[in-house]
Amino acid sequence: MRKVILSTLFLVCSMGIAQAQRSFGYFSYDNLLKAMPGYEEAQASLAELKEKYDAETKRVEADFNSKYEEFLEGQKEFPSIILQKRQTELQEMMEKNVTFKREARRLYKQAEDEAMAPIKAKLDEAIAAIGTAKKYDFILNTDSNACPWVNKNKGDDITNEILKKVK
């Protein structure tokens, strides 16, 4: 019985010591991402692409609205065959516009992922290198209130170290 109690006591003490030796780092991923070399250029390129998609969306919407107004003005005077043809044209235009918007969103997201991938990879490599070098048990991302409080006496703010490594 004495051995069991001593073993249990030893195990509990060992766990307490192990937990006391844990160390971690913390930083804001979003803030560092925005400070990365190449981030501003990627954002400018994405803004330009978005502007082009928005301009085309406005153009096709204006085209649709013009045809729709034309249809409304003449619908009482159109013979039924012309009325049906114009309704079909409007329906097809609307479907094409919806398809274009959906595809533009998908392509923009894809371009965003591709533009940010090398920047995020470089940031992730720097984080991993610092974590390994400092022998951290883990590194916390403090964004989106995921970590509302950090004991600064037990963890290290590694923001500046990461910035130095990526610049």
Side-chain angles (χ1 to χ4, degrees), residues 81-160:
I81 189 79
I82 293 175
L83 187 64
Q84 287 175 342
K85 179 186 170 288
R86 298 254 178 126
Q87 285 174 332
T88 302
E89 285 175 355
L90 287 170
Q91 183 65 35
E92 287 172 0
M93 281 182 81
M94 190 178 340
E95 289 170 5
K96 285 179 183 178
N97 292 350
V98 169
T99 301
F100 172 77
K101 286 179 186 178
R102 188 178 306 123
E103 185 66 5
R105 277 193 299 267
R106 185 189 70 76
L107 290 172
Y108 179 80
K109 177 68 174 131
Q110 181 181 342
E112 183 179 41
D113 291 345
E114 289 172 2
M116 298 306 293
I119 297 168
K120 288 181 177 182
K122 186 175 181 181
L123 180 55
D124 292 344
E125 286 173 17
I127 294 165
I130 290 170
T132 301
K134 291 202 161 215
K135 297 180 180 166
Y136 286 132
D137 293 316
F138 54 90
I139 296 177
L140 297 172
N141 178 1
T142 59
D143 291 341
S144 302
N145 207 26
C147 185
W149 182 78
V150 174
N151 185 340
K152 295 181 189 222
N153 295 325
K154 295 190 179 191
D156 301 324
D157 183 350
I158 60 173
T159 303
N160 291 332

Side-chain angles (χ1 to χ4, degrees), residues 9-147:
L9 185 58
F10 177 74
L11 183 63
V12 169
C13 288
S14 297
M15 288 174 57
I17 290 170
Q19 286 181 341
Q21 294 174 345
R22 288 194 175 182
S23 63
F24 65 93
Y26 60 91
F27 71 102
S28 168
Y29 195 92
D30 287 343
N31 289 344
L32 282 174
L33 187 64
K34 291 173 184 170
M36 291 286 295
Y39 178 82
E40 292 295 325
E41 292 84 5
Q43 290 302 307
S45 174
L46 290 168
E48 185 179 319
L49 179 62
K50 185 174 182 338
E51 191 176 296
K52 289 177 183 177
Y53 285 147
D54 288 346
E56 181 62 13
T57 299
K58 285 179 185 176
R59 186 194 69 75
V60 296
E61 284 176 356
D63 193 27
F64 175 82
N65 289 338
S66 172
K67 291 217 182 245
Y68 184 67
E69 286 173 17
E70 233 178 78
F71 171 78
L72 290 176
E73 288 173 6
Q75 74 180 358
K76 292 180 182 170
E77 299 168 5
F78 293 145
S80 65
I81 189 79
I82 293 175
L83 187 64
Q84 287 175 342
K85 179 186 170 288
R86 298 254 178 126
Q87 285 174 332
T88 302
E89 285 175 355
L90 287 170
Q91 183 65 35
E92 287 172 0
M93 281 182 81
M94 190 178 340
E95 289 170 5
K96 285 179 183 178
N97 292 350
V98 169
T99 301
F100 172 77
K101 286 179 186 178
R102 188 178 306 123
E103 185 66 5
R105 277 193 299 267
R106 185 189 70 76
L107 290 172
Y108 179 80
K109 177 68 174 131
Q110 181 181 342
E112 183 179 41
D113 291 345
E114 289 172 2
M116 298 306 293
I119 297 168
K120 288 181 177 182
K122 186 175 181 181
L123 180 55
D124 292 344
E125 286 173 17
I127 294 165
I130 290 170
T132 301
K134 291 202 161 215
K135 297 180 180 166
Y136 286 132
D137 293 316
F138 54 90
I139 296 177
L140 297 172
N141 178 1
T142 59
D143 291 341
S144 302
N145 207 26
C147 185

